[in-house]
């Protein structure tokens, strides 16, 4: 049956245009969030595993930190920049990643080395990075939380260590925070043909940020102000969709500011990106993260 034709159009209910959410959309979103939240009463991740993360480490304050190089910059109108880089066996790229970051005049480049067995530590130190060393793997997202908890800058820029992004593509994120944006995202408009982009879009719409489309803290590079991290908590950074959801619902200004094609740059890993059945481990991890964000949203 063609219910669209039969259903009465009500301007007051269907007045959502462009990036504005209509009253009817808000009602449907609320119903979906409530429905999903009932399924999350026993497990806030909806049964999806939290693989490869050591969240408990964020409760520890006595980290093994070896201070490195930094400058007080004049690029950010008196504010200072901290660049945070989680790394595990990234000797191939860590030099170029740090070299590009240094061009931004950061107060510090914090490399959180976890579970590495190669020369990542030596290379990072040789280029003046502040090194935080862990023998065991933490997971990239936990590494970001560790780095943020130690950062002295007003602007926190997060990059990965398994591919190099040119300085000119990192600079817009730092400048966005200096200009008054609280969270600066990598601008992404991905086709909704995979569970991860679908969840990115769904969470943005549920948080009344439809204009962000599929832009998300799941993707690097991104930046945020120190005040955001202090408000949402360092622990939240271990689950990027949760951190983004908290920032949006706490009223911080979240914008997609610059597009970097990380899909092309990011390496495909057989163990993380493929599975004989069900979701690959990486997808399962991210989908579980979005369930955590919905669980938080439903409790507001």
């Amino acid at each position: 049956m063609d219910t669209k034709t039969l259903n009465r159009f009500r301007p007051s209910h269907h007045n959502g245009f462009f990036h504005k959410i209509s009253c009817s959309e808000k009602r449907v979103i609320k119903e979906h969030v409530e429905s999903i939240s009932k399924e999350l009463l026993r497990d806030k991740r909806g049964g999806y595993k939290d693989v490869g993360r050591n969240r408990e480490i964020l409760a520890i304050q006595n980290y093994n930190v070896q201070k490195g190089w930094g400058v007080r910059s004049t690029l950010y109108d008196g504010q200072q920049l901290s660049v945070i880089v989680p790394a595990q066996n990234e000797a191939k790229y860590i030099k170029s990643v740090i070299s590009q970051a240094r061009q931004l005049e950061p107060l510090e480049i914090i490399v959180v080395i976890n579970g590495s067995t190669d020369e990542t530590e030596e290379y990072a130190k040789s280029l003046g990075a502040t090194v935080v060393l862990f023998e065991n793997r933490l997971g990239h997202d936990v590494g970001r939380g560790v780095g943020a908890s130690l950062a002295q800058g007003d602007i926190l820029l997060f990059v990965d260590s398994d591919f190099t992004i040119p300085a000119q593509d990192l600079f817009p994120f730092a400048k966005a925070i200096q200009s008054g944006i609280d969270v600066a995202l990598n601008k992404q408009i991905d086709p909704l043909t995979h569970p991860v982009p679908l969840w990115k879009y769904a969470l943005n719409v549920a948080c009344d940020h439809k204009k962000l489309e599929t832009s998300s803290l799941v993707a690097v590079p991104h930046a945020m102000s120190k005040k955001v991290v202090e408000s949402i908590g360092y622990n939240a950074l271990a689950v990027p969709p949760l951190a983004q959801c908290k920032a949006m619902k706490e009223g911080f200004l979240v914008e997609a500011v610059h597009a970097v094609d990380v899909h092309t740059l990011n390496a495909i890993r057989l163990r993380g990106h493929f599975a004989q059945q069900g979701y690959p481990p990486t997808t399962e991890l991210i989908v579980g993260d979005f369930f955590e964000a919905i669980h938080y949203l439903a409790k507001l």
Side-chain angles (χ1 to χ4, degrees):
M1 181 181 292
D2 183 6
T3 55
K4 290 184 179 179
T5 302
L6 294 173
N7 199 12
R8 178 186 170 191
F9 173 69
R10 298 177 175 84
S12 61
H13 288 185
H14 298 85
N15 62 345
F17 298 99
F18 301 105
H19 294 135
K20 185 178 179 181
I21 299 176
S22 68
C23 295
S24 60
E25 286 177 311
K26 289 181 180 179
R27 186 188 71 251
V28 172
I29 290 166
K30 183 175 182 293
E31 291 172 352
H32 279 295
V33 170
E34 289 177 349
S35 176
I36 294 172
S37 67
K38 292 178 182 178
E39 301 297 323
L40 300 178
L41 291 176
R42 293 184 180 179
D43 179 6
K44 65 181 180 181
R45 291 186 61 84
Y48 291 95
K49 298 176 183 178
D50 190 18
V51 180
R53 283 193 183 133
N54 184 0
R55 302 194 198 191
E56 292 75 18
I57 206 72
L58 288 167
I60 299 173
Q61 299 298 317
N62 188 24
Y63 299 127
N64 179 9
V65 181
Q66 300 173 56
K67 193 68 176 174
W69 164 96
V71 297
R72 295 199 67 82
S73 176
T74 59
L75 293 176
Y76 310 103
D77 194 24
Q79 298 183 57
Q80 299 303 317
L81 172 67
S82 296
V83 181
I84 297 162
V85 189
Q88 181 193 18
N89 289 333
E90 300 298 352
K92 181 178 179 180
Y93 291 105
I94 195 66
K95 287 183 176 181
S96 59
V97 169
I98 293 173
S99 295
Q100 292 299 315
R102 286 188 65 159
Q103 297 181 46
L104 306 179
E105 296 186 5
L107 180 68
E108 57 194 352
I109 300 173
I110 302 174
V111 180
V112 183
I113 300 175
N114 59 105
S116 279
T117 56
D118 65 4
E119 297 84 8
T120 301
E121 178 185 356
E122 289 74 16
Y123 291 164
K125 288 178 179 176
S126 71
L127 288 174
T130 291
V131 169
V132 193
L133 190 61
F134 296 89
E135 291 185 4
N136 299 319
R137 180 184 176 188
L138 302 180
H140 274 5
D141 303 312
V142 174
R144 294 186 189 106
V146 169
S149 71
L150 297 169
Q152 300 299 306
D154 312 286
I155 303 167
L156 309 186
L157 173 65
F158 299 87
V159 299
D160 278 351
S161 56
D162 53 352
F163 53 84
T164 304
I165 299 173
Q168 62 264 31
D169 280 324
L170 296 175
F171 189 57
F173 296 91
K175 287 297 286 184
I177 304 302
Q178 178 249 302
S179 69
I181 292 173
D182 297 308
V183 179
L185 302 177
N186 187 353
K187 186 182 294 184
Q188 295 186 310
I189 307 176
D190 298 325
L192 303 180
T193 55
H194 185 274
V196 172
L198 279 168
W199 273 107
K200 290 177 180 178
Y201 182 74
L203 183 65
N204 287 336
V205 172
C207 292
D208 204 5
H209 280 64
K210 189 177 181 179
K211 64 180 180 179
L212 294 178
E213 300 193 55
T214 58
S215 301
S216 169
L217 282 178
V218 170
V220 293
H222 55 256
M224 61 185 70
S225 66
K226 182 74 169 179
K227 66 180 180 182
V228 171
V229 182
E230 292 174 342
S231 178
I232 67 175
Y234 302 107
N235 289 350
L237 296 184
V239 185
L242 174 62
Q244 183 174 335
C245 182
K246 292 183 75 171
M248 291 189 291
K249 298 308 291 186
E250 290 184 21
F252 289 107
L253 180 58
V254 181
E255 298 283 353
V257 301
H258 181 65
V260 179
D261 182 10
V262 292
H263 298 304
T264 301
L265 294 170
N266 206 359
I268 298 296
R269 293 176 171 82
L270 294 178
R271 183 174 297 179
H273 294 98
F274 294 93
Q276 292 183 343
Q277 60 181 7
Y279 288 150
T282 299
T283 300
E284 180 160 329
L285 179 71
I286 296 173
V287 171
D289 289 352
F290 278 101
F291 271 112
E292 281 199 49
I294 294 295
H295 181 263
Y296 165 81
L297 189 62
K299 295 190 297 182
L300 296 180

